[in-house]
Amino acid sequence: MTRFLLVLTLLLTLAVSAVAADNSLTVGSKRFTESYILAEIVKQVADQTGEAKAEHKKGLGNTGIVFAALKGGSIDVYPEYTGTISQELLKEKGAIDLPGMKAKLGGQGLDVGVPLGFNDTYALAMREDQAQKLGVKTMSDLAKHPELHFGLSPEFLKRADGWPGVASTYGMSAAPEGIDHGLAYEAIAQGQIDVMDIYSTDAKIEKYHLRVLEDDKKFFPAYDAVLLYRADLPTHLPKTWAALEGLKGKITAARMVQMNADVELRSQTFAQVAKGFIAHDLQGGAVAAPEKQQSFGQRLFGGDFWKLTGEHLWLVFGSLLLAVIVGVPLGVWAARAPVAAGPILTVVGLIQTIPSLALLIFLLTLFHAIGTKPAIAALFLYSLLPIVRNTYTGLTDIAPALRESAIALGLPAAARLRLIELPLASRAILAGIKTSAVINVGTATIAALIGAGGYGERIVSGLAVNDNAILLTGAIPAALLALVVQGAFDLLDRVVTPAGLRPR
Amino acid sequence: MISVENVAKSYKSQTALAPTTLQFDPSSTTVLIGPSGCGKSTLLRIMVGLVAPDSGSVSVEGAQVTAANIEAMRHRIGYVIQDGGLFPHLTAEGNVTLLAKFLKKPSGDIEKRVGELCEIVQLPREALGRFPSELSGGQRQRVGLMRALMLDPPALLLDEPLGALDPITRNELQGELKSIFARLGKTVVLVTHDMGEAAYLADRIVLMRAGKIVQQGTLADMIERPADPYVTEFIRAQRSPLPALPETAAP
């Protein structure tokens, strides 16, 4: 057991050294292509001033999570849209202009500015052929066809400026279904859904021959892209801020569609697209020759691979260590006190049934922060059940004759636990820790939704741009890591298990 | 050495042991015998503190056993169960020295004592490094006995120590136990359901039935002056060892 803890500590120290930085600017992005690109541009522009080390927290779960992160100070700035700010964040009924927003946000220590130059409005779209056949041109026309199959992104379904508003303004009675935005284009192309929500700068509208329906009652407000930031940013990092202000009005809608297409249709990385934009549009250089496509292997091990590996290991083993420290004593307690056993096992069992995203968001509000802390807390809670249950079972399965022999010898309770009972239960306990560790490797991928990094970051961005190759560059290392962890524990089992208990 | 006074134990409404009083003199061997469920094991387990009696008290060397002194009392009593009750994760030597090491006895003394015990119970020294699963049944029982004798306690309690052994090993160990008891001069209390074994090892036999003592004395007493027809019935039921018994039982 001591040797096992030693190995764990070593891994943790390695993982910790991979994190940390001081004078830094953290940029957030939401889980769709355009947000990734804009945040990457902000990050690279900031980096070029050399004033602060800029970091990009990629693909945070949804608007609520990013906004909470900004308020809590986990990120300093992120690209947002005016319509979202007024309708969703400030819950305004009517239209409100930029100075109005500034005034309202000021109370929360936030500010908004730097209109980037394009309007990315929400809209509903259908397949061109079907729209033609049904004669649907406007959203009022669409209201006459409640039989159509609506597949809307989960965020659009819930937002005040999304489906609820659309349905009441146009009197639509269809029953929409939730579908991830990255997957909706495939679904509509294959005829699984008939209507989807789109962003007007989406690159795939043309590719999939979709008709964007006219908002004839002018329901959707303007969604001008702006930067939403912490009010102290301009004074805290003045050079960086000056550079960011240079982005004002620099991105046209056409350019944004093109950049989205570079990622989604031409498989460039967010960083490459941002770099090309800065070199050409900001610094007036020649249009960079499209970079050579990286091979899958290069994409797998390239760039941030080791950073993500460090983050993933830290998430898995940081939470596991906590779970061992808390779970083993809980298991011992349950085995010792039959009265406590029922409640303890029930509670750790119930925790397991909480959906992971719900637990993450709950902990996010509890910690007032995104990132590693709430993610480790969630993984810790999920790790408890196998460890507590196996410790409990391992201890209660000890033959009564052995337990009595230890008592009759005249050993005090603490010594019996240490010298007899825990060693006899060690294989069961280790098996529980192993189960938790392997499950953790998988569950940790979802922590990317709250900016905790790890391989999940690639899986989330792969989903956002609907690019299976990116998804696999995250999923394959996660699967391999699970196998490595499993193998390492099998090895550890041989080292830790007392020789007399090993099968021969 | 050990005395129990009016100890009784019930499980729910079932009486395991009716109020019982018994004295165990120094250097004497007492065998508790009777059919399954007669209370003999319960009595032994009360003496070593594995079962708390509903009433009555146990005294060791004149001092009453309480929750506060029970661990110290257990160090004065060796306890052996069927198949040795050895801890599978420790070697034979680890089992034997576990308590002495926990009590921080000098390692020289521990080593010397292990040597003596090997000789007393006739265990080859090379068996000390083996794990319980690598030992024969007889060897496990010898190691169990060594563990009980490690601190040289004045009393030794054995709960069906030979129950799991084949007849030949059993016979061999019976002989060895008898000479060990005689040599060490301990207060021995042994539980069995085998009258042959009882008669061979005991200075005094205590025959029990349904939680009560039916008769105590030598086998000769029980054959010649049975206190109850049950005594005769119990002895007659154990036929096979009997022809050899009168000589050994009546000195």
Side-chain angles (χ1 to χ4, degrees):
Chain A
M1 210 53 164
T2 348
R3 243 180 287 187
F4 166 64
L5 288 177
L6 203 76
V7 174
L8 212 61
T9 323
L10 204 74
L11 278 174
L12 289 181
T13 339
L14 284 175
V16 176
S17 53
V19 200
D22 222 327
N23 200 13
S24 64
L25 175 84
T26 310
V27 188
S29 61
K30 291 193 231 176
R31 213 153 52 87
F32 58 89
T33 309
E34 187 168 297
S35 190
Y36 280 95
I37 295 174
L38 293 176
E40 192 63 30
I41 290 173
V42 169
K43 182 210 159 190
Q44 291 189 15
V45 165
D47 248 350
Q48 285 184 357
T49 67
E51 188 179 29
K53 174 104 194 68
E55 196 200 346
H56 179 185
K57 288 252 183 235
K58 290 176 186 152
L60 300 173
N62 57 32
T63 301
I65 292 177
V66 199
F67 191 62
L70 185 71
K71 279 205 287 190
S74 301
I75 61 175
D76 301 300
V77 55
Y78 81 94
E80 188 51 284
Y81 303 90
T82 50
T84 305
I85 296 173
S86 63
Q87 306 294 303
E88 181 65 15
L89 299 178
L90 299 174
K91 314 278 183 212
E92 291 291 328
K93 289 278 184 300
I96 174 173
D97 60 1
L98 211 53
M101 288 180 201
K102 275 175 164 302
K104 298 243 174 196
L105 287 166
Q108 308 186 41
L110 304 177
D111 206 347
V112 57
V114 198
L116 298 172
F118 68 95
N119 172 15
D120 180 3
T121 186
Y122 266 127
L124 294 181
M126 295 177 65
R127 278 188 309 282
E128 179 64 39
D129 54 343
Q130 193 183 29
Q132 211 159 17
K133 208 169 79 191
L134 298 174
V136 177
K137 282 198 173 114
T138 65
M139 284 168 65
S140 295
D141 295 339
L142 182 63
K144 295 170 203 148
H145 294 279
E147 77 283 358
L148 290 176
H149 198 154
F150 285 57
L152 307 178
S153 62
E155 183 161 341
F156 184 80
L157 269 176
K158 292 282 170 322
R159 287 169 60 136
D161 58 344
W163 175 250
V166 169
S168 69
T169 305
Y170 286 96
M172 290 189 191
S173 56
E177 226 183 291
I179 181 167
D180 195 88
H181 191 67
L183 304 173
Y185 280 102
E186 296 290 342
I188 201 168
Q190 289 165 13
Q192 287 166 340
I193 59 175
D194 304 316
V195 182
M196 67 178 285
D197 58 307
I198 53 130
Y199 307 118
S200 57
T201 52
D202 275 353
K204 289 182 176 167
I205 298 170
E206 218 169 310
K207 182 186 172 192
Y208 288 93
H209 307 293
L210 302 184
R211 175 183 287 185
V212 178
L213 305 181
E214 189 193 331
D215 180 15
D216 52 323
K217 291 189 182 169
K218 304 283 173 225
F219 167 73
F220 291 119
Y223 289 87
D224 294 319
V226 290
L227 296 184
L228 189 54
Y229 55 93
R230 292 184 63 77
D232 60 358
L233 177 61
T235 47
H236 180 53
L237 298 170
K239 273 169 72 183
T240 306
W241 182 246
L244 291 181
E245 282 199 301
L247 285 169
K248 195 168 170 179
K250 283 293 193 313
I251 306 175
T252 61
R255 183 70 174 111
M256 194 65 240
V257 174
Q258 193 190 0
M259 287 196 282
N260 284 334
D262 284 342
V263 170
E264 295 187 10
L265 307 179
R266 291 184 277 279
S267 294
Q268 293 194 35
T269 65
F270 304 122
Q272 285 167 350
V273 171
K275 199 173 151 197
F277 171 81
I278 291 167
H280 177 248
D281 298 58
L282 290 188
Q283 294 163 352
V287 180
E291 289 188 39
K292 244 198 317 186
Q293 278 267 1
Q294 286 184 308
S295 73
F296 185 72
Q298 284 169 322
R299 287 166 78 176
L300 186 60
F301 294 109
D304 50 2
F305 178 77
W306 293 109
K307 174 180 154 278
L308 295 181
T309 304
E311 288 167 350
H312 210 94
L313 287 173
W314 173 228
L315 287 173
V316 169
F317 288 100
S319 58
L320 190 67
L321 182 65
L322 283 178
V324 171
I325 291 171
V326 174
V328 172
L330 269 182
V332 170
W333 184 24
R336 278 288 164 99
V339 196
I344 290 175
L345 294 175
T346 308
V347 169
V348 294
L350 277 178
I351 291 173
Q352 207 75 10
T353 66
I354 306 174
S356 41
L357 194 54
L359 184 63
L360 280 174
I361 289 174
F362 170 72
L363 290 167
L364 176 77
T365 46
L366 199 72
F367 280 84
H368 295 297
I370 57 157
T372 314
K373 266 194 228 164
I376 284 187
L379 292 173
F380 155 75
L381 289 172
Y382 284 133
S383 303
L384 281 178
L385 180 67
I387 295 176
V388 172
R389 184 165 281 282
N390 276 37
T391 304
Y392 171 79
T393 314
L395 289 174
T396 47
D397 277 356
I398 295 172
L402 292 182
R403 206 171 307 131
E404 289 187 349
S405 288
I407 297 173
L409 261 185
L411 285 172
R416 292 201 301 271
L417 186 67
R418 182 168 58 85
L419 298 171
I420 311 292
E421 293 169 12
L422 283 179
L424 287 178
S426 60
R427 289 201 87 184
I429 297 173
L430 192 66
I433 297 174
K434 173 168 121 181
T435 306
S436 286
V438 173
I439 293 176
N440 258 2
V441 172
T443 315
T445 57
I446 206 169
L449 291 179
I450 57 164
Y455 297 134
E457 208 170 279
R458 288 177 169 185
I459 296 177
V460 169
S461 58
L463 270 176
V465 304
N466 197 16
D467 182 335
N468 286 335
I470 297 179
L471 196 144
L472 285 176
T473 59
I476 289 173
L480 288 180
L481 183 62
L483 288 178
V484 169
V485 167
Q486 169 127 12
F489 270 95
D490 287 342
L491 219 66
L492 200 63
D493 182 47
R494 288 196 216 153
V495 181
V496 171
T497 306
L501 297 182
R502 277 176 228 154
R504 259 175 290 272
Chain B
M1 170 61 213
I2 305 180
S3 62
V4 297
E5 200 146 338
N6 278 319
V7 293
K9 181 72 189 174
S10 299
Y11 293 103
K12 294 189 181 145
S13 59
Q14 190 86 25
T15 304
L17 188 66
T20 299
T21 300
L22 268 178
Q23 275 285 126
F24 301 90
D25 297 330
S27 308
S28 74
T29 299
T30 304
V31 170
L32 306 179
I33 195 168
S36 299
C38 71
K40 58 190 192 298
S41 279
T42 303
L43 179 57
L44 196 75
R45 289 156 63 82
I46 287 174
M47 288 164 68
V48 75
L50 287 175
V51 170
D54 298 333
S55 59
S57 64
V58 179
S59 301
V60 176
E61 296 176 309
Q64 191 173 326
V65 176
T66 63
N69 65 11
I70 181 114
E71 260 146 32
M73 291 300 184
R74 284 176 181 144
H75 299 164
R76 311 283 297 154
I77 299 173
Y79 180 66
V80 181
I81 62 169
Q82 199 175 86
D83 207 29
L86 301 181
F87 305 122
H89 65 296
L90 299 175
T91 59
E93 184 162 20
N95 268 280
V96 172
T97 60
L98 177 68
L99 180 62
K101 281 184 176 158
F102 173 74
L103 296 173
K104 305 239 182 326
K105 304 278 184 203
S107 60
D109 294 0
I110 293 179
E111 214 172 299
K112 187 161 152 269
R113 180 68 181 155
V114 170
E116 283 168 21
L117 289 170
C118 273
E119 187 258 319
I120 292 172
V121 307
Q122 305 277 301
L123 185 82
R125 289 207 71 129
E126 62 268 22
L128 285 175
R130 295 193 200 134
F131 287 100
S133 56
E134 299 164 330
L135 298 171
S136 70
Q139 285 174 328
R140 279 201 288 274
Q141 206 55 63
R142 290 171 209 265
V143 174
L145 197 58
M146 285 173 73
R147 186 173 73 183
L149 292 170
M150 183 67 200
L151 296 188
D152 201 12
L156 188 61
L157 309 190
L158 307 97
D159 193 352
E160 304 214 22
L162 309 179
L165 301 177
D166 65 84
I168 292 173
T169 314
R170 186 176 178 134
N171 190 49
E172 183 186 318
L173 263 172
Q174 276 173 356
E176 284 177 25
L177 279 181
K178 188 173 174 75
S179 64
I180 290 168
F181 295 163
R183 174 175 166 187
L184 300 180
K186 310 239 176 250
T187 305
V188 176
V189 184
L190 184 143
V191 165
T192 182
H193 53 252
D194 179 346
M195 189 52 104
E197 190 167 294
Y200 179 60
L201 294 171
D203 297 320
R204 172 180 59 159
I205 297 172
V206 176
L207 177 62
M208 298 179 69
R209 182 197 189 191
K212 290 197 182 102
I213 295 172
V214 183
Q215 184 170 3
Q216 46 179 309
T218 62
L219 179 60
D221 289 336
M222 292 184 181
I223 291 172
E224 287 157 25
R225 293 173 292 281
D228 187 293
Y230 179 75
V231 177
T232 312
E233 193 189 328
F234 187 83
I235 294 169
R236 192 174 298 145
Q238 311 240 346
R239 275 182 300 262
S240 54
L242 281 180
L245 283 179
E247 296 161 39
T248 44

